[in-house]
Structures are given as C-alpha cells and as structure tokens.
C-alpha cells in the first residue's frame, strides 16, 4: 500500500468514462461566467462538486462577494457526478470503531451528523425546487457473511444502547425469510442470506443536485470557470494566494480546496494522506421478473471482505426502474490494491466491471428473470474518491497555512458528509463570535485537520 499511496496524484484526466448522470449534460457544464479569468478574488474555490457548490452557496448566502470557482473539467464532473446516487449513512457499521477510537460521545456525534446530512440534502432540494429525483426511503444491508452478521448485531445493540430513542439509532433487523419475502433477495441465485439491517436513507441524482446548487450560487454572483485546472498554488508574501492555471493566474485572499481525491495534486502535503481510490459503477436495466413498482428500499450487499451498493431510478424519472450498482472492489486481485493511488477514470478494471455485471441476477435470483431484450448493461463508468489514514474527512484551515482551507477525503461517503462539512467549514472561515462553541454542539472535532492527522500513514480503506 505504501507504493500505491506514493503515486503522484495527477489532475483530473481528459476524456473520462462518461457517467450515466452525464448522458444529458446540463447547460452550465462548460460555463465560464466571464470570458477571461479574473485577476483577483476574495475567495477561490477549487472544485465544483457538492463540496465546492455548497461552499459557494454558503459563503454567498452569508454575504461574501467576489467568489470564483475553478473546475478542471466540466461542472460537477468529478465524484459527485459519478457516484451511485445513494444518501446512506450506515452509521452502525462504523460505530464500534468510532466508539473504541474516540469514545461513545464522539461516536454518537458522528452518527447524528451523518443522518442530519442526509436529511439536510433532501430538505435543501425540496426547499429550492432542485429537480434531482430526490427520494427519502428506507435502505437495507443484505448480509451474506455470518461473521459480519454477528458483528452487525453487536453494532446495532451498541448504537441503540448509546442513544436510546434517537432517530440516528433506529435500525430494524430482518431475518432471511423477511429478506426473501419483502426485499426479493435470497430465493434463487445466492441463497446464503443471513439477514438484513433496515434504516432511513434516500437516493437522488447527485449530479442534478450539485448542478442545482451551482445554479443558485451563480444567481448570487458566483464566477464559475470550467476547463480551468489549478496547476499550482503559491503563498504570497503579503498574505493571500496565487493560483496558476493554463489561462493565467488569479490571486485570492482565501482558497478552498474542494478537491477530494485530487487534493494532493494541488497541495503536496496531502500526498499519501488523501489517497485516490477508483470506484466502478454500472446502470443496468431490470430483469423481466423484477417488480414493476419501485423497489421498497435502496440496497447494499455485504459479503466477506467487501460490499456492493445499489439504488433504483424512481418511476417517472429518466431511465425509470434502472438499477445503479457499484462496488466490487474486493473482487479484484489483492482486494483491489491496484485501484488505490490511481486517478485514471478513463478506464476500467475488467474484473471489477465483470463482477458488477454479474451481480444482480445473483442477488435477486428468481426475482430477476430473463434480461431485458435491450441488454442488461445500459452504462458503466468510473470515478475517483479520496481516502484518509483514519477514515475521517479533513475539514478546516491547513495547519501553518493561513487562509488555505480544505474539506476533502470523504471515504466514498460524500453524500452523507460533504454537506454538513461544508456548513462547518463556512462557519470556520467566517469566524463569527461563538463559532467554535456552536460547532462543538454538532460537528465532530475529530474531523478537523491537524498536524498530527497529517502525519498518519495510509494503510487502506477502513470498512
């Protein structure tokens, strides 16, 4: 893993695999708010995914002016525009680890923030009329590994004992028969279902959501410059920063790195600390025996050493009833080792891709039936995530670097972390009296970037 983490991080690649969500690029995909790059700005945000979009909206809503956003490719073309459309926390799965490492109170705070993030994203979409197929629903983790099933029982009991009656601790355990009868898995195909864990979640088009937030920000005065990668970042002697791009340089008093898996390309101190990991996702037409109504939940499938995750496009949406499934990292050689350290989203790992192509008839068995006459696979694509040594995001001002701010390393979990992390980072940047006290009521202090965390060694993805 040391060798993979040491691979120099590159800029986003040209001509990436086309994401399913980009099949109809939005009209702002290639926008440049001004023909030339401004010479100066109060704030420059690098990255136009959900973190960058949220930061722009928050700062402009709070009264900031002169905010410029730089995007290397098209708007929202990184991980936000390439994910599986899941807003799902699975907080119980990390609760035992967080409790052991940071104590019960911190584990509780993390679980509460993750659920708050899910609810806030869907609420924002509803409040602002963002058409992104936002759907609040249950999710189920279908478990095939007996050891994992035993751990899940302990984890659910631990989180419920720690926060009785709390919404973030509402989990229901299903036995194999309930999984077969209510959730259509385990009859035919892989019948080794141990049970399932059901809880609150949701789904949406993160691309449409991110674009919607960017449009709101543009209306508030954001200057968005697509196809303008940040090549270099230089601290100025009198304060502030200079960002070099292929179109010239721009100076800013404050810089926000909303760059997740690409962060080390811009600021070398993150090399080996925020490590890229390539993920694979497919969109598949449902088998002919699958329910004609929406499935009752989103899904994850937990097996020894790994997992897949799945949503379904809601009725009435483009490509309605399509099933979007990603994961299968553990199916590749050495548990997917070659996927770490790469930023190449122009290509696929053939073993992972084949595992995803084969997955749905295995999980749904008799309920899958024959493939759609037009073929099972509608689209396949890859995207780059960012992982940290301790499995937590980095949020705050980079130590020793005044006015260089970061919110990155979301562990493939961005849709349940980015929104609230951006809210916290905005508060830190604005620095109003009482900010730290207010943040400490809900924001996990362990997410704050520190010198100590930057010295940690990356050993791989934490499950």
């Amino acid at each position: 893993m040391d060798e993979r983490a040491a691979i120099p991080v590159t800029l986003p690649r040209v001509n990436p695999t086309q994401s399913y969500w980009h099949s109809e690029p939005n009209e702002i995909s290639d926008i440049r708010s001004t023909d030339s790059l401004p010479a100066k700005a109060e704030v420059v945000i690098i990255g136009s995914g959900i973190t960058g979009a949220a930061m722009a909206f928050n700062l402009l809503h709070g009264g900031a002016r002169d905010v410029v956003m730089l995007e290397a490719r098209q708007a929202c073309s990184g991980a936000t525009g390439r994910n599986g459309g899941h807003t799902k926390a699975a907080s119980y799965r990390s609760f035992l680890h967080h409790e052991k490492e940071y104590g019960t109170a911190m584990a509780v705070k993390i679980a509460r923030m993750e659920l708050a993030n899910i609810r806030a994203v869907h609420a924002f979409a509803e409040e602002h009329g963002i058409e992104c197929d936002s759907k609040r629903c249950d999710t189920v983790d279908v478990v095939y590994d007996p050891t994992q099933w035993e751990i899940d029982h302990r984890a659910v009991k631990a989180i419920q004992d720690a926060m009785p009656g709390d919404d973030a601790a509402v989990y229901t355990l299903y036995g194999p028969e309930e999984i077969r009868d209510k959730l259509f898995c385990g009859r035919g195909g892989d019948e080794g279902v141990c049970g399932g864990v059901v809880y609150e979640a949701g789904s949406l088009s993160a691309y449409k959501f991110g674009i919607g937030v960017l449009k709101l920000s543009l209306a508030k005065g954001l200057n968005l410059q697509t196809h303008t990668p940040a090549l270099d970042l230089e601290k100025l002697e009198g304060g502030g920063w200079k960002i070099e791009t292929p179109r010239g340089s721009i100076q800013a008093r404050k810089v926000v790195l909303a760059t997740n898996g690409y962060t080390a390309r811009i600021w070398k101190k993150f090399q080996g600390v925020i490590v890229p990991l390539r993920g694979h996702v497919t969109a598949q037409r449902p088998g002919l025996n699958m329910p004609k109504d929406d499935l009752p939940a989103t899904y994850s499938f937990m097996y020894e050493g790994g997992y897949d995750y799945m949503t379904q496009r809601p009725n009435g949406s483009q490509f309605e009833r399509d099933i979007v499934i990603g994961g299968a990292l553990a199916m590749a050689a050495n548990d997917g080792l070659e996927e770490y350290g790469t930023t190449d989203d122009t290509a696929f790992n053939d073993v992972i891709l084949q595992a995803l192509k084969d997955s749905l008839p295995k999980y749904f068995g008799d309920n899958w039936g024959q493939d759609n006459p037009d073929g099972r696979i509608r689209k396949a694509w890859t995207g780059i995530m960012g992982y940290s040594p301790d499995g937590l995001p980095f949020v705050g001002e980079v130590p020793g670097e005044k006015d260089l701010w970061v919110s990155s390393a979301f562990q493939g979990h961005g849709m349940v972390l980015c929104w609230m992390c951006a809210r916290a980072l905005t508060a830190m940047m604005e620095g109003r009296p009482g900010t730290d006290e207010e943040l400490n009521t809900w924001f996990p202090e362990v997410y704050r970037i520190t010198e100590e965390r930057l010295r940690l060694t990356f050993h791989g993805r934490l499950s």
Side-chain angles (χ1 to χ4, degrees):
M1 187 59 75
D2 289 349
E3 291 182 3
R4 301 303 302 179
I7 296 172
V9 175
T10 72
L11 290 170
R13 305 293 181 101
V14 178
N15 299 319
T17 55
Q18 187 189 47
S19 164
Y20 179 71
W21 312 107
H22 297 153
S23 57
E24 292 184 358
N26 192 271
E27 66 267 17
I28 70 165
S29 292
D30 303 301
I31 190 174
R32 287 176 175 171
S33 299
T34 53
D35 291 338
S36 59
L37 185 68
K40 292 184 178 182
E42 177 69 14
V43 180
V44 166
I45 299 169
I46 304 175
S48 69
I50 187 171
T51 294
M55 289 303 302
F57 181 87
N58 292 344
L59 289 168
L60 290 163
H61 184 72
R65 295 293 178 265
D66 201 16
V67 178
V68 174
M69 179 179 287
L70 306 180
E71 167 55 52
R73 301 189 295 202
Q74 291 184 315
C76 205
S77 60
T80 301
R82 312 180 76 80
N83 66 23
H86 233 163
T87 51
K88 172 172 181 165
S91 303
Y92 77 99
R93 284 177 52 80
S94 56
F95 188 84
L96 293 174
H97 171 75
H98 290 155
E99 187 174 44
K100 178 182 177 183
E101 293 294 321
Y102 312 114
T104 300
M106 187 59 65
V108 165
K109 187 178 285 188
I110 291 171
R112 284 180 175 149
M113 197 204 84
E114 290 181 331
L115 180 59
N117 192 104
I118 291 171
R119 290 177 170 179
V121 165
H122 288 281
F124 190 91
E126 293 158 7
E127 178 185 352
H128 294 275
I130 298 175
E131 295 182 1
C132 58
D133 306 316
S134 171
K135 181 180 178 181
R136 302 173 190 246
C137 60
D138 281 343
T139 191
V140 59
D141 295 339
V142 183
V143 183
Y144 293 85
D145 177 17
T147 300
Q148 183 62 54
W149 186 231
E150 188 274 328
I151 294 170
D152 291 343
H153 274 266
R154 287 195 286 114
V156 168
K157 183 178 187 305
I159 196 170
Q160 291 179 337
D161 286 349
M163 41 201 308
D166 196 292
D167 285 358
V170 176
Y171 294 92
T172 303
L173 298 175
Y174 278 16
E177 283 303 315
E178 288 176 292
I179 296 295
R180 295 185 187 104
D181 294 343
K182 297 180 180 180
L183 293 153
F184 308 105
C185 296
R187 185 169 283 113
D190 188 338
E191 297 189 337
V193 174
C194 300
V197 186
V198 178
Y199 50 100
E200 180 181 341
S203 65
L204 46 62
S205 166
Y207 173 66
K208 288 183 177 180
F209 179 78
I211 289 289
V213 180
L214 287 175
K215 286 182 173 180
L216 293 171
S217 301
L218 288 166
K220 290 179 177 291
L222 173 67
N223 185 319
L224 173 53
Q225 298 287 327
T226 61
H227 304 286
T228 307
L231 302 177
D232 190 43
L233 188 58
E234 178 187 346
K235 186 191 298 185
L236 299 174
E237 285 189 10
W241 298 85
K242 182 171 78 170
I243 305 98
E244 290 288 349
T245 84
R247 299 171 56 220
S249 64
I250 178 173
Q251 294 186 15
R253 191 166 74 84
K254 299 179 181 180
V255 172
V256 177
L257 303 178
T259 41
N260 205 28
Y262 298 99
T263 304
R265 172 60 180 80
I266 301 166
W267 197 248
K268 302 303 183 188
K269 196 168 186 177
F270 288 105
Q271 180 67 49
V273 180
I274 299 180
V275 177
L277 174 61
R278 181 171 63 185
H280 292 64
V281 193
T282 63
Q284 306 189 25
R285 299 176 181 91
L288 298 184
N289 284 1
M290 290 292 281
K292 298 300 183 280
D293 295 326
D294 291 347
L295 288 168
T298 67
Y299 292 67
S300 292
F301 304 98
M302 311 296 186
Y303 45 83
E304 185 177 0
Y307 60 88
D308 302 337
Y309 51 88
M310 190 203 99
T311 62
Q312 185 179 41
R313 303 288 290 133
N315 278 322
S317 65
Q318 184 188 30
F319 305 132
E320 64 180 13
R321 298 181 60 244
D322 271 11
I323 293 175
V324 179
I325 184 165
L329 178 69
M331 298 299 179
N334 300 312
D335 293 324
L337 179 64
E338 295 300 308
E339 303 307 299
Y340 291 90
T342 183
T343 56
D344 188 3
D345 57 2
T346 71
F348 298 97
N349 178 306
D350 291 338
V351 174
I352 293 175
L353 187 58
Q354 190 61 51
L356 290 173
K357 289 179 176 179
D358 295 340
S359 61
L360 291 172
K362 177 179 69 175
Y363 293 136
F364 288 101
D366 296 344
N367 290 304
W368 183 260
Q370 296 295 313
D371 280 345
N372 187 292
D374 292 331
R376 188 183 304 168
I377 306 301
R378 189 186 298 276
K379 201 80 170 175
W381 66 98
T382 53
I384 306 304
M385 303 170 283
Y387 284 76
S388 66
D390 55 11
L392 305 175
F394 290 106
V395 182
E397 190 175 41
V398 177
E401 308 296 349
K402 181 173 172 55
D403 288 326
L404 178 61
W405 303 84
V406 65
S407 187
S408 291
F410 295 111
Q411 330 296 317
H413 215 46
M415 295 310 296
V416 294
L417 290 171
C418 291
W419 194 255
M420 297 302 284
C421 286
R423 183 177 295 180
L425 187 63
T426 303
M428 294 176 199
M429 291 178 67
E430 291 175 341
R432 294 182 176 133
T435 291
D436 285 344
E437 291 79 2
E438 193 276 329
L439 282 177
N440 286 340
T441 64
W442 63 270
F443 184 70
E445 298 93 310
V446 291
Y447 289 1
R448 290 179 181 259
I449 187 170
T450 64
E451 282 284 5
E452 181 182 15
R453 292 185 64 208
L454 289 171
R455 289 194 294 267
L456 296 175
T457 300
F458 185 79
H459 296 293
R461 179 176 72 171
L462 300 181
S463 61

